[in-house]
Amino acid sequence: TILGETHEEEDEILPRKDYESLDYDRCINDPYLEILESMDNKKAQRYEAVKWVLVFAIGVCTGLVGLFVDFFVRLFTQLKFQVVQSSVEECTEKGCLALSLLELLGFNLTFVFLASLLVLIQPVAAGSGIPEIKCYLNGVKVPGVVRLRTVVCKATGVLFSVAGGLFVGKEGPMIHSGAVVGAGLPQFQSISLRKIQFNFPYFRSDRDKRDFVSAGAAAGVAAAFGAPIGGTLFSLEEGSSFWNQGLTWKVLFCSMAATFTLNFFRSGIQFGSWGSFQLPGLLNFGEFKCSESDKKCHLWTAVDLGFFILMGIVGGLLGATFNCLNKRLAKYRMRNVHPKPKLVRVLESLLVSLTTTVVVFVASMVLGECRQMSSSRHGGNDTLSLQDISEDVNASIKTFFCPNETYNDMATLFFNPQESAILQLFHQDGTFSPVTLSLFFLLYFLLSCWTYGISVPSGLFVPSLLCGAAFGRLVANLLKSYIGLDHIYSGTFALIGAAAFLGGVVRMTISLTVILIESTNEISYGLPIMITLMVAKWTGDFFNKGIYDIHVNLRGVPLLEWETEVEMDKLRASDIMEPNLTYVYPHTRIQSLVSILRTTVHHAFPVVTENRGNEREFMKGNQLISNNIKFKKSSILTRAGEQRKRSQSMKSYPSSELRNMCDEHIATEEPPEKEDMLQQMLERRYTPYPSLYPDQSPSEEWTMEERFRPLTFHGLILRSQLVTLLDRGVCYSESQSSASQPRLSHAEMSEDYPRYPDIHDLDLTLLNPRMIVDVTPYMNPSPFTVSPNTHVSQVFNLFRTMGLRHLPVVNAVGEVVGIITRHNLTHEFLQARLRQHYQTI
């Protein structure tokens, strides 16, 4: 969980969950500072070279994961279709089609049941994983999202889901799998396999892991579509919120490694031609080319752009409808399915599989039309890859329930792997009936919408492409038949329809454009694809968000958008900050630390000293109070000196709060230990902040001055650091000096990364609760801070560009008056505070 209160969603049935935020703040314990200080140039170069080696290894491993998934999906799918096809051909004559349906059900239900069981082992393996990875790269750590057990369940489960006949794809989970590989490989250890552990102290920080996850996610896209540049842009556009120039080249190199690893092995296994590189990705669209005998045919013309724009509008509307229906289904599942025993989720998956199998079988038998076969238009091409694509298209034609020399157009789309069905719509010369295309689109639309969100690993890219390709092919048939546009190339319209529908669902623009161009290997399609995706996105955004953003919001993740709305600048940092602070002192008793950690869920705490008038009375007999006052006095004097230097250089005056200290003590060069300085600090009186009244005070017995006691801010300390200090027994007694406290190195502080012990699991019986912990060597003494009058847009940009998770609000005299976290910058929270702002005007 992160620092700050949990805010409720507008919809009561979908409560917001707390998610731990990643630590991207530069602090005194920054591993880079420690590493670089002990390095010379040669060692630093070796350190950078290790990064490149690890990035290459991530790409290779991601490609091997894709090879594993693709090999077993093809194996299981071919086995199933061979058995079912022979059974259907035999039972068509004998009249035992019910037996064929039972065989098909047996295969599909068994595969889906295995996929559901794997999700029960690791629930975060359900779905495509793209929303979870998007949250991770945005700065929110979803529990278990990058664990080894997750990638095992994900990769194994998705091959059962696809082989089980569900309308899901394996390309989406490849992105999640690549991200997990990127997160785990550079750590050289595993939580699931504790025996696998090497002494490799580098890259053990959230910032390094985030960069490797970005590379792994891009490698997943590259392996899925054979699009390394598209994968890099995907990681930049949809994934990482915090980017730098040096990361771009590493991510592209990782994507290239994944693409060529998968291409090398797939080409060698399938064609026996090792090193030929003929199959760049799991999904290959083939080459689009008009038949040489058709002189009127063109891939696309300027006239077609108008139709493409209209298709983009319709694709945006269809995508918005898909997202709306899926959101309602997701809410229903959260209300009625998820609270029940886990077996109910398995039963739901089996119900979807049962319904899908029956619909596919009955639709192919009843609604399919028998159409004449035609020769492939690629027959005269002597390129190996085109011949193979042509053979695949012809070989995937299904003759179920049809006489010789004819094929069943509905069965050809339903009783084929989704990749083969897409190739049919892109490259098949034989026409599909408009009625068949309409029914196929409607059934596929509804069933894929119902399927996305059940408890199985599932992707959305390929089902959306197939659904959109049927829509585009339908438009091409109508334009040819009823308007008489003979120059139309049906494959182009199928591709544009696929882009329009997919863009309307996921709302991606740049990266999706490049992915589709790289998948088709046709740069001339760049302009129509780009225009179609832009129109589809603008149309869909008018109604709702993309499917991934919808599921992120349903999970209650505090995801930060790219920018805030213009009207949010009416708010200031003081309007959105959390004024009720839980803080620690520079020298704090173990009893107090344990109480704070056990009674709060905050992930970081401000280190402060208080301005209390009664501190003077306890100075002589209390070592703890004395240490805190001495720490504050030295800190204030240092700050006063800096303020004086700046004021002199700017020919201005220091703030009123520090002017008396600067003029009376620094100017006369009196020693900082003067008693009048301490007396002045202690006797200073403060008034409460009238604009910061909390809804619920920390204690009803506190006076107003105690509730808003001025707190001089000295730094931030993380929960993980405090727990580590307690676990290692880092403390000193009242009779000792704080210099006698043991010191931990950065390697010792990060030894338990990323699974730090929980405060409730620590055995603290050996520690004296009266012992004192000096947190000053481990806190971040210079975190990013803002003034209470800072505009919300500036606060938002600081979070986005610097990767922050805690932003203290400090006034002009160095007193912390509140803190801002990601929850305070979510769209819902800002809207609520804006409404309050309007009500008070």
Side-chain angles (χ1 to χ4, degrees):
T1 55
I2 66 173
L3 184 61
E5 297 296 326
T6 301
H7 305 287
E8 297 181 355
E9 287 277 1
E10 296 181 0
D11 195 334
E12 295 180 358
I13 66 169
L14 303 175
R16 181 180 292 281
K17 297 180 180 179
D18 286 336
Y19 290 90
E20 182 180 347
S21 294
L22 299 178
D23 179 16
Y24 299 153
D25 298 329
R26 175 176 290 276
C27 62
I28 195 171
N29 295 316
D30 196 321
Y32 282 103
L33 297 181
E34 180 171 322
I35 291 171
L36 294 178
E37 285 176 359
S38 61
M39 282 186 177
D40 54 21
N41 290 334
K42 291 184 178 180
K43 289 183 178 180
Q45 290 175 0
R46 292 195 208 105
Y47 181 75
E48 187 69 15
V50 171
K51 275 189 175 182
W52 284 94
V53 173
L54 288 176
V55 164
F56 177 76
I58 291 170
V60 172
C61 292
T62 303
L64 294 178
V65 171
L67 179 68
F68 165 79
V69 173
D70 180 70
F71 176 79
F72 282 99
V73 165
R74 287 179 177 272
L75 179 64
F76 292 155
T77 303
Q78 290 177 1
L79 175 63
K80 181 183 72 172
F81 283 144
Q82 285 178 0
V83 174
V84 173
Q85 182 173 357
S86 60
S87 176
V88 168
E89 292 175 353
E90 182 179 353
C91 288
T92 300
E93 302 175 356
K94 298 181 179 180
C96 57
L97 290 177
L99 182 60
S100 301
L101 176 59
L102 291 178
E103 290 181 355
L104 183 60
L105 282 173
F107 276 106
N108 289 347
L109 292 178
T110 301
F111 289 145
V112 173
F113 178 72
L114 293 175
S116 299
L117 288 182
L118 291 170
V119 171
L120 292 184
I121 298 174
Q122 188 70 359
V124 77
S128 65
I130 295 179
E132 289 80 5
I133 295 303
K134 185 175 181 179
C135 294
Y136 189 94
L137 295 178
N138 190 264
V140 182
K141 187 183 297 183
V142 181
V145 72
V146 290
R147 294 190 61 179
L148 175 62
R149 187 166 59 182
T150 301
V151 71
V152 172
C153 294
K154 192 86 172 186
T156 309
V158 71
L159 66 90
F160 287 127
S161 299
V162 176
L166 293 177
F167 292 167
V168 299
K170 58 180 180 290
E171 283 71 18
M174 277 299 303
I175 301 173
H176 190 181
S177 300
V180 178
V181 172
L185 187 61
Q187 301 299 312
F188 288 93
Q189 65 177 12
S190 172
I191 302 297
S192 302
L193 303 175
R194 298 186 181 274
K195 293 183 179 180
I196 300 178
Q197 188 169 1
F198 299 91
N199 186 16
F200 190 75
Y202 306 119
F203 312 123
R204 295 182 59 77
S205 67
D206 285 327
R207 181 176 53 197
D208 283 324
K209 182 179 286 189
R210 174 206 67 199
D211 292 344
F212 286 124
V213 168
S214 299
V221 177
F225 296 96
I229 301 176
T232 304
L233 293 176
F234 173 86
S235 188
L236 173 61
E237 179 185 7
E238 286 294 314
S240 184
S241 301
F242 326 112
W243 199 265
N244 60 74
Q245 184 90 13
L247 183 61
T248 306
W249 189 236
K250 293 183 180 69
V251 170
L252 180 60
F253 180 64
C254 184
S255 301
M256 287 288 184
T259 301
F260 284 97
T261 299
L262 183 62
N263 198 344
F264 176 79
F265 284 100
R266 288 192 69 206
S267 300
I269 293 174
Q270 187 164 344
F271 300 121
S273 178
W274 296 91
S276 59
F277 297 104
Q278 301 177 55
L279 298 173
L282 299 180
L283 181 61
N284 185 18
F285 292 159
E287 184 175 346
F288 291 76
K289 187 177 180 181
C290 288
S291 175
E292 296 179 358
S293 59
D294 190 357
K295 301 300 182 181
K296 296 182 179 180
C297 175
H298 300 283
L299 290 183
W300 66 279
T301 63
V303 178
D304 297 335
L305 283 177
F307 295 111
F308 295 160
I309 293 175
L310 294 177
M311 291 175 66
I313 296 175
V314 177
L317 293 174
L318 293 173
T321 304
F322 183 96
N323 294 352
C324 180
L325 294 176
N326 190 263
K327 180 179 180 180
R328 293 180 179 274
L329 283 171
K331 286 185 176 182
Y332 178 84
R333 290 187 178 107
M334 297 180 71
R335 186 192 300 112
N336 299 295
V337 178
H338 293 177
K340 295 181 179 179
K342 295 182 178 180
L343 181 62
V344 178
R345 304 185 188 184
V346 177
L347 294 178
E348 183 196 16
S349 302
L350 294 177
L351 176 62
V352 173
S353 177
L354 174 66
T355 305
T356 302
T357 304
V358 172
V359 168
V360 165
F361 193 88
V362 174
S364 300
M365 181 175 62
V366 177
L367 303 178
E369 295 185 13
C370 296
R371 309 185 69 82
Q372 291 291 329
M373 294 184 181
S374 61
S375 59
S376 173
R377 54 186 172 83
H378 294 303
N381 196 301
D382 57 356
T383 303
L384 178 62
S385 60
L386 292 183
Q387 288 180 356
D388 293 323
I389 292 174
S390 176
E391 292 174 1
D392 289 341
V393 170
N394 289 330
S396 60
I397 291 177
K398 302 298 180 183
T399 59
F400 289 172
F401 320 114
C402 287
N404 295 333
E405 302 301 327
T406 60
Y407 68 96
N408 188 322
D409 57 355
M410 184 72 78
T412 299
L413 296 177
F414 271 135
F415 275 89
N416 266 315
Q418 296 175 98
E419 292 82 357
S420 299
I422 291 175
L423 290 177
Q424 286 286 343
L425 293 171
F426 284 171
H427 302 290
Q428 177 58 260
D429 265 354
T431 59
F432 293 89
S433 166
V435 176
T436 298
L437 291 173
S438 301
L439 293 175
F440 174 80
F441 172 80
L442 180 62
L443 294 176
Y444 214 94
F445 180 93
L446 296 176
L447 288 175
S448 60
C449 183
W450 185 22
T451 303
Y452 188 73
I454 62 175
S455 295
V456 296
S458 57
L460 192 62
F461 272 89
V462 174
S464 298
L465 288 172
L466 179 54
C467 198
F471 158 67
R473 189 69 182 249
L474 174 63
V475 173
N477 285 1
L478 295 177
L479 292 178
K480 281 185 176 181
S481 302
Y482 296 97
I483 301 182
L485 299 179
D486 297 333
H487 72 279
I488 285 179
Y489 179 60
S490 299
T492 299
F493 276 77
L495 176 64
I496 296 301
F501 186 80
L502 181 58
V505 171
V506 301
R507 312 289 163 80
M508 294 164 53
T509 52
I510 301 176
S511 57
L512 187 56
T513 300
V514 177
I515 288 172
L516 293 178
I517 292 175
E518 289 184 283
S519 299
T520 57
N521 198 24
E522 184 61 58
I523 191 62
S524 64
Y525 280 144
L527 180 62
I529 290 176
M530 183 181 297
I531 293 176
T532 303
L533 288 176
M534 290 173 58
V535 173
K537 175 179 170 55
W538 291 340
T539 305
D541 286 343
F542 185 78
F543 297 97
N544 51 35
K545 294 183 178 181
I547 187 67
Y548 300 135
D549 292 327
I550 288 176
H551 281 266
V552 167
N553 291 335
L554 290 178
R555 288 175 171 86
V557 179
L559 191 73
L560 298 185
E561 303 293 340
W562 283 106
E563 57 186 10
T564 59
E565 299 175 3
V566 177
E567 61 178 352
M568 293 303 172
D569 263 349
K570 297 178 181 178
L571 300 176
R572 300 292 189 269
S574 58
D575 297 322
I576 66 172
M577 70 182 184
E578 177 57 50
N580 292 330
L581 300 176
T582 302
Y583 47 84
V584 299
Y585 301 121
H587 302 264
T588 307
R589 297 193 188 277
I590 289 180
Q591 182 179 4
S592 299
L593 286 181
V594 173
S595 175
I596 290 172
L597 294 174
R598 286 182 174 177
T599 56
T600 64
V601 293
H602 306 329
H603 202 64
F605 304 91
V607 180
V608 302
T609 49
E610 298 182 2
N611 293 330
R612 297 192 301 182
N614 60 350
E615 277 185 341
R616 181 169 47 122
E617 303 174 2
F618 297 97
M619 274 190 58
K620 297 179 181 180
N622 194 310
Q623 180 74 20
L624 171 62
I625 294 295
S626 177
N627 281 340
N628 286 334
I629 290 179
K630 289 179 180 178
F631 181 83
K632 175 172 184 176
K633 185 177 67 170
S634 62
S635 179
I636 286 183
L637 288 173
T638 302
R639 226 172 28 252
E642 292 296 327
Q643 182 72 14
R644 180 177 179 82
K645 292 178 182 179
R646 294 178 184 178
S647 64
Q648 290 177 349
S649 63
M650 295 185 297
K651 296 182 179 181
S652 60
Y653 295 97
S655 64
S656 59
E657 191 66 19
L658 296 176
R659 188 179 302 139
N660 57 348
M661 292 183 290
C662 295
D663 297 340
E664 297 177 13
H665 298 277
I666 303 299
T668 59
E669 297 184 355
E670 293 183 2
E673 290 79 15
K674 291 284 290 183
E675 182 64 27
D676 57 348
M677 171 64 196
L678 185 59
Q679 181 78 10
Q680 188 181 76
M681 181 187 70
L682 293 175
E683 291 181 352
R684 188 178 300 128
R685 292 293 181 264
Y686 294 83
T687 57
Y689 302 94
S691 62
L692 302 181
Y693 294 149
D695 297 332
Q696 295 180 350
S697 60
S699 174
E700 297 297 336
E701 299 178 356
W702 283 12
T703 64
M704 187 63 67
E705 185 172 354
E706 287 175 329
R707 293 179 185 178
F708 302 106
R709 186 180 300 124
L711 306 173
T712 302
F713 180 70
H714 301 289
L716 278 178
I717 185 76
L718 299 179
R719 168 182 286 268
S720 59
Q721 293 173 318
L722 292 176
V723 174
T724 301
L725 293 177
L726 293 176
D727 187 32
R728 300 297 182 90
V730 178
C731 57
Y732 67 95
S733 64
E734 297 183 49
S735 60
Q736 296 175 326
S737 170
S738 60
S740 63
Q741 175 177 282
R743 296 300 176 95
L744 299 181
S745 65
H746 176 268
E748 293 173 320
M749 288 291 292
S750 61
E751 185 176 344
D752 295 322
Y753 178 86
R755 298 289 185 271
Y756 291 102
D758 188 80
I759 185 62
H760 298 281
D761 300 331
L762 295 185
D763 183 11
L764 304 175
T765 56
L766 299 179
L767 295 178
N768 185 349
R770 302 294 295 175
M771 298 283 281
I772 303 168
V773 178
D774 181 7
V775 302
T776 56
Y778 308 99
M779 71 179 183
N780 181 358
S782 55
F784 290 96
T785 60
V786 293
S787 166
N789 295 322
T790 306
H791 288 277
V792 164
S793 61
Q794 293 176 278
V795 175
F796 192 90
N797 292 335
L798 192 58
F799 261 81
R800 287 284 305 191
T801 56
M802 302 308 300
L804 304 183
R805 56 172 180 171
H806 311 106
L807 185 62
V809 182
V810 180
N811 62 16
V813 293
E815 296 163 355
V816 60
V817 295
I819 199 161
I820 299 174
T821 64
R822 301 177 66 87
H823 278 298
N824 303 110
L825 293 173
T826 56
H827 179 74
E828 297 81 2
F829 185 83
L830 292 178
Q831 287 287 349
R833 289 305 170 94
L834 188 62
R835 288 193 293 266
Q836 293 179 7
H837 174 76
Y838 285 139
Q839 292 174 0
T840 57
I841 295 178

